């Protein structure tokens, strides 16, 4: 039996470009080269794709973009010969691959864009399909679908659209919706790593937060602030998904923003302590229910708040969670006894299904 060729794709045009590179390094370190032949491709922030032989350190720090091995890469839509076309000094050649691991976070990577391209080309890939990726990336849409299915509790929320929106007028309407209650969270509907999120306590901060969020997305959410523990679970599988015990985020900042996640070493993630078996089971069952409602495949991380009164509140679902050394998703599976190498191998097998 011929060895499978896996293309690991990283980078992208989103504000999470740098995190994608670090996640890809972890994935590349973890793939069993005894089972698979691995090729690597990067997407620059301008959207250009390149096949690259750059080393892991160059991928991590971004210097891969200047590597002499880089060859322009494009997707072939020839369904009889699925793969990529790359241009080298010897001319154009076709690169056939058995599956793609799109280690891409945020817009133009995790939102169904790349998934749709790969589906059109007939190439298997790790993770959810176009529809699910797009729906999960849009926090407002995901919440609406979960709420319609009565699958979980969630924070009170209103949605604003950038077109025709005056932030000052919108702030007045938001205050009326929440009956003047603060604090509130203002979030872009479709961004990750907490980019563009603000916690606001006054109308002036609300107006500023609306501007910050609209800089990231044309659709934004304003939510009530939920006071409680931040819990996350990892889900793995296609038709018969498995789920880990809950992990907990201990943020060094007031909330778990980009700085707290990736720059402040005071933040940490750990196995959630003090949860009763019944509460753990509730969290697991709710996560699986949401995973199935959203029709996820391969993997997802489902995030919750747990209030002091025991009420579990759904926050969001992430279809390509981080794989960095500090990321919750691989850590949770390690707690369950699955190494990062075993996890990556399992995800590739799920893609090949």
């Amino acid at each position: 039996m011929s060895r499978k060729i896996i293309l690991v794709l990283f980078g992208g045009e989103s504000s999470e470009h740098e995190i994608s590179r670090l996640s890809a390094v972890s994935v590349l370190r973890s793939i069993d080269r005894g089972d698979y032949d691995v090729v690597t491709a990067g997407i620059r922030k301008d959207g250009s794709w390149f096949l690259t032989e750059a080393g892991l350190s160059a991928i991590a720090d971004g210097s891969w973009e200047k590597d002499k091995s880089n060859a322009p890469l494009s997707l072939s839509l020839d369904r009889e010969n699925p793969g990529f076309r790359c241009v080298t000094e010897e001319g154009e050649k076709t690169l056939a691959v058995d599956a793609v691991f799109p280690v891409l976070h945020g817009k133009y990577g995790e939102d169904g864009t790349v998934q749709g391209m790969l589906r059109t080309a007939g190439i298997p890939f790790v993770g959810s399909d176009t529809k699910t990726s797009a729906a999960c990336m849009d926090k407002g849409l995901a919440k609406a679908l979960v709420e319609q299915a009565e699958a979980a509790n969630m924070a009170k929320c209103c949605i604003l659209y950038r077109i025709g929106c005056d932030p000052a007028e919108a702030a007045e309407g938001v205050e009326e919706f929440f009956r003047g209650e603060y604090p509130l969270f203002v979030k872009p509907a479709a961004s990750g790593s907490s980019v563009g999120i603000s916690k606001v306590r006054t109308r002036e901060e609300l107006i500023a937060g609306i501007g910050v969020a609209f800089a990231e997305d044309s659709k934004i959410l304003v939510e009530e602030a939920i006071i409680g523990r931040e819990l996350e679970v990892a889900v793995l599988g296609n038709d018969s998904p498995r789920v880990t015990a809950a992990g907990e985020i201990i943020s060094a900042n007031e909330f778990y923003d980009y700085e707290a996640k990736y720059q402040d070493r005071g933040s940490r993630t750990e196995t959630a302590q003090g949860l009763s078996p019944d509460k753990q089971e509730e969290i697991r069952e709710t996560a699986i229910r949401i995973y199935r409602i959203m029709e996820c495949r391969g993997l997802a991380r489902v995030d919750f708040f747990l209030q002091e009164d025991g009420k579990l509140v759904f926050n969001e679902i992430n279809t390509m969670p981080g794989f960095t050394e500090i990321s919750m998703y691989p850590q949770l599976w390690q707690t369950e006894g699955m190494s990062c190498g075993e996890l990556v191998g399992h995800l590739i097998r799920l893609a090949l299904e």
Side-chain angles (χ1 to χ4, degrees), residues 209-222:
I210 290 171
V212 170
F214 273 145
E216 291 293 326
D217 198 357
S218 60
K219 174 183 175 181
I220 67 174
L221 285 68
V222 184

Side-chain angles (χ1 to χ4, degrees), residues 81-277:
N81 299 286
F84 295 83
R85 293 194 181 102
C86 59
V87 181
T88 67
E89 293 180 353
E90 290 77 30
E92 184 176 297
K93 67 177 183 179
T94 299
L95 173 65
V97 302
D98 293 289
V100 172
F101 199 136
V103 194
L104 301 168
H105 307 313
K107 289 184 178 179
Y108 312 118
E110 193 178 350
D111 61 358
T113 306
V114 168
Q115 289 78 8
M117 293 170 59
L118 295 172
R119 180 68 72 198
T120 301
I123 301 174
F125 53 90
V126 171
S128 293
D129 66 10
T130 309
K131 175 184 65 177
T132 294
S133 297
C136 291
M137 187 73 188
D138 185 326
K139 297 179 180 67
L141 181 55
K143 287 176 182 290
L145 292 170
V146 172
E147 183 176 34
Q148 185 180 40
E150 299 181 346
N153 304 306
M154 59 195 67
K156 186 178 180 181
C157 168
C158 67
I159 295 175
L160 303 176
Y161 297 89
R162 185 168 55 202
I163 296 177
C165 180
D166 176 85
E169 292 181 3
E172 185 176 350
V174 168
E175 285 187 330
E176 182 178 346
F177 180 82
F178 287 101
R179 298 181 179 179
E181 293 182 1
Y182 283 98
L184 301 170
F185 277 98
V186 187
K187 305 177 179 181
S191 74
S193 293
S194 300
V195 175
I197 295 181
S198 303
K199 185 176 184 179
V200 301
R201 300 169 184 80
T202 65
R203 179 178 292 193
E204 290 72 23
E205 290 182 353
L206 175 58
I207 293 170
I210 290 171
V212 170
F214 273 145
E216 291 293 326
D217 198 357
S218 60
K219 174 183 175 181
I220 67 174
L221 285 68
V222 184
E223 294 180 341
E224 66 174 319
I226 300 295
I227 307 302
R229 300 169 66 178
E230 293 189 54
L231 305 179
E232 301 180 347
V233 295
V235 188
L236 175 69
N238 289 339
D239 297 329
S240 302
R242 302 157 55 190
V243 61
T244 66
E248 183 166 11
I249 296 166
I250 310 298
S251 176
N253 292 350
E254 186 176 8
F255 70 96
Y256 203 44
D257 58 6
Y258 186 94
E259 179 184 354
K261 286 181 179 180
Y262 301 114
Q263 298 171 358
D264 194 323
R265 292 295 179 179
S267 297
R268 66 184 191 276
T269 56
E270 58 185 35
T271 303
Q273 303 296 318
L275 298 178
S276 69

